[in-house]
Amino acid sequence: MGSANDLVLTGVSKRFGSFVAVDDLDLTVPAGSFFALLGPSGCGKTTTLRMIAGLETPTGGRITLGADDITALKPYRRPVNTVFQSYALFPHMTIAENVAFGLRRSGTRDVKDQVAAMLEMVELGDYGRRKPAQLSGGQQQRVALARALINRPRVLLLDEPLGALDLKLRRQMQIELKQIQTEVETTFVHVTHDQEEAMTMADTVAVMNAGVIEQMGRPEDLYEHPSTTFVANFLGQSNLIRGELGGAEQADVVVDVHGTRLLAPGAQVPDGGREVWVGIRPEKVTLAAAGAGALRGANVLESGVVTDASFTGVSTQYLVRMPWGQELMVFEQNTGQHKGFVVGDTVDLHWVPDHTFLLDAGQDSAAGVERETVP
């Protein structure tokens, strides 16, 4: 059952001429949650955020916050604040003045104490007299967050807020943002194209594609049980192998993959015909020398040939060409328990049947694969 303070979008659409940016979107963001809208550029996630903020007017549908219909409200009349990637700090003001800006405009008293408390929360208690140019990117992002939160909005919108930070600082800020959200108990709606960022911070992730939500749920559920090839490929990496459904074996279903019998959870069988994509995440697969044998009950694909081995520190990432010509990915942790493989080695691939997911083969197996663009 929903809360009286949930953010709800009902049948929300946005068209720019003949282009449909957001298509009849129904979405409920639970009050007090950390919610992520995840998707590639052009999928409609930022347009959705801007409609919630009041910066874009929906072509159709309603946006409500609790009992309040905010669809047509001006941005400044909404109990909503936004943190942008660019920070948008006032360079001539001190950090304390930046954070206090919204409170002073509303005529709030005890501004000094509130600003001090907010700066302490974002671990900038000693930086109030500095100017933005004297702070690092991560510190400026904290100031922007403090300025947005000090007015106690019911919803905080975050538009790619960590995109300008380097990788190490971005990961640190992911943890801090989640801690702050838990402390203030404000609804956070975070727009990002970064899968790791969404999964690290969000309670719920909605994966958007072409103006609609492909799948929504807890990060671990979306990752382990994708419902479309787009989600399987966009949220991490997946091996998708064409197979044909056979009979049942207890709670599992038998799948024929190029003459090899594999098992998959029966609950994973998609609607449609017998043709399926058999999915397995690269880190779920174990390599063994050809013919070395596998644990009882494991799925096994035999006689692959290693075509690439890339050492990344934590893991070694392999490409293995199978007898039917497809290259599969295998990511193995560098635990030191066994010697690694080299290009040209013949190997068998093993994994636990429960880690298999099945998708309708009518879907494009390359949907959601991020490709590098050539400048």
Side-chain angles (χ1 to χ4, degrees):
M1 180 175 292
S3 161
N5 293 309
D6 290 349
L7 172 67
V8 180
L9 282 69
T10 306
V12 170
S13 298
K14 181 63 182 180
R15 293 177 175 81
F16 297 96
S18 61
F19 175 69
V20 181
V22 178
D23 190 8
D24 196 25
L25 186 67
D26 291 325
L27 178 65
T28 297
V29 179
S33 68
F34 199 127
F35 189 95
L37 278 172
L38 172 68
S41 297
C43 73
K45 60 187 186 298
T46 296
T47 301
T48 300
L49 193 84
R50 289 176 61 83
M51 288 191 288
I52 297 169
L55 302 174
E56 295 284 358
T57 303
T59 307
R62 295 174 66 232
I63 303 175
T64 57
L65 186 52
D68 302 322
D69 188 333
I70 64 172
T71 312
L73 286 183
K74 298 292 185 184
Y76 62 88
R77 294 197 175 276
R78 301 183 183 212
V80 173
N81 274 345
T82 306
V83 176
F84 299 99
Q85 180 178 325
S86 61
Y87 315 138
L89 302 178
F90 300 114
H92 62 287
M93 292 184 180
T94 66
I95 299 310
E97 289 168 343
N98 265 280
V99 174
F101 182 76
L103 288 182
R104 294 194 188 284
R105 288 189 67 187
S106 64
T108 303
R109 298 182 179 182
D110 301 322
V111 170
K112 186 176 180 180
D113 290 343
Q114 291 187 55
V115 169
M118 189 59 66
L119 287 176
E120 285 294 334
M121 187 182 72
V122 296
E123 300 180 359
L124 292 173
D126 297 330
Y127 292 77
R129 295 186 178 182
R130 298 192 187 186
K131 296 287 183 67
Q134 296 174 288
L135 271 58
S136 68
Q139 290 168 334
Q140 290 184 50
Q141 186 58 271
R142 289 190 184 95
V143 176
L145 186 64
R147 186 179 62 181
L149 285 172
I150 200 165
N151 287 328
R152 304 295 177 187
R154 289 165 66 185
V155 177
L156 183 68
L157 307 176
L158 301 119
D159 188 9
E160 302 275 6
L162 310 182
L165 305 179
D166 63 50
L167 179 60
K168 187 174 182 180
L169 185 55
R170 192 158 70 239
R171 286 177 173 165
Q172 177 185 334
M173 283 298 296
Q174 289 169 7
I175 297 170
E176 292 182 12
L177 263 178
K178 180 57 181 174
Q179 290 173 338
I180 290 169
Q181 189 273 330
T182 302
E183 183 175 341
V184 298
E185 298 181 335
T186 298
T187 304
F188 278 25
V189 180
H190 179 202
V191 159
T192 182
H193 68 277
D194 187 309
Q195 304 96 318
E196 180 185 304
E197 193 168 290
M199 290 194 289
T200 298
M201 294 189 290
D203 305 311
T204 303
V205 175
V207 181
M208 287 195 74
N209 179 34
V212 300
I213 293 176
E214 291 256 342
Q215 190 176 354
M216 183 169 68
R218 296 188 311 155
E220 54 266 43
D221 290 340
L222 267 60
Y223 187 82
E224 299 291 351
H225 307 294
S227 62
T228 68
T229 56
F230 181 90
V231 174
N233 290 322
F234 190 78
L235 204 64
Q237 293 175 282
S238 295
N239 294 303
L240 298 177
I241 314 161
R242 187 172 287 277
E244 184 174 307
L245 291 173
E249 186 172 297
Q250 296 181 347
D252 292 330
V253 63
V254 177
V255 188
D256 181 271
V257 172
H258 298 280
T260 298
R261 177 181 176 278
L262 302 178
L263 295 178
Q268 295 276 341
V269 177
D271 295 331
R274 295 182 62 192
E275 295 290 321
V276 293
W277 292 118
V278 178
I280 182 68
R281 297 287 188 181
E283 74 278 5
K284 306 289 191 185
V285 183
T286 300
L287 290 183
L295 292 174
R296 181 176 177 146
N299 281 335
V300 182
L301 290 176
E302 298 180 335
S303 303
V305 177
V306 176
T307 57
D308 187 75
S310 300
F311 178 83
T312 65
V314 171
S315 67
T316 298
Q317 302 186 359
Y318 296 98
L319 285 179
V320 181
R321 185 175 297 280
M322 303 310 297
W324 58 90
Q326 183 178 1
E327 283 191 325
L328 303 181
M329 299 174 289
V330 179
F331 301 164
E332 286 209 325
Q333 293 287 308
N334 291 322
T335 61
Q337 293 183 352
H338 63 80
K339 185 179 177 181
F341 296 94
V342 298
V343 173
D345 284 348
T346 302
V347 293
D348 295 339
L349 283 64
H350 306 166
W351 71 90
V352 176
D354 282 351
H355 293 156
T356 312
F357 58 89
L358 301 176
L359 300 172
D360 180 5
Q363 301 177 53
D364 179 6
S365 64
V369 175
E370 292 189 290
R371 294 182 172 87
E372 294 184 8
T373 55
V374 178

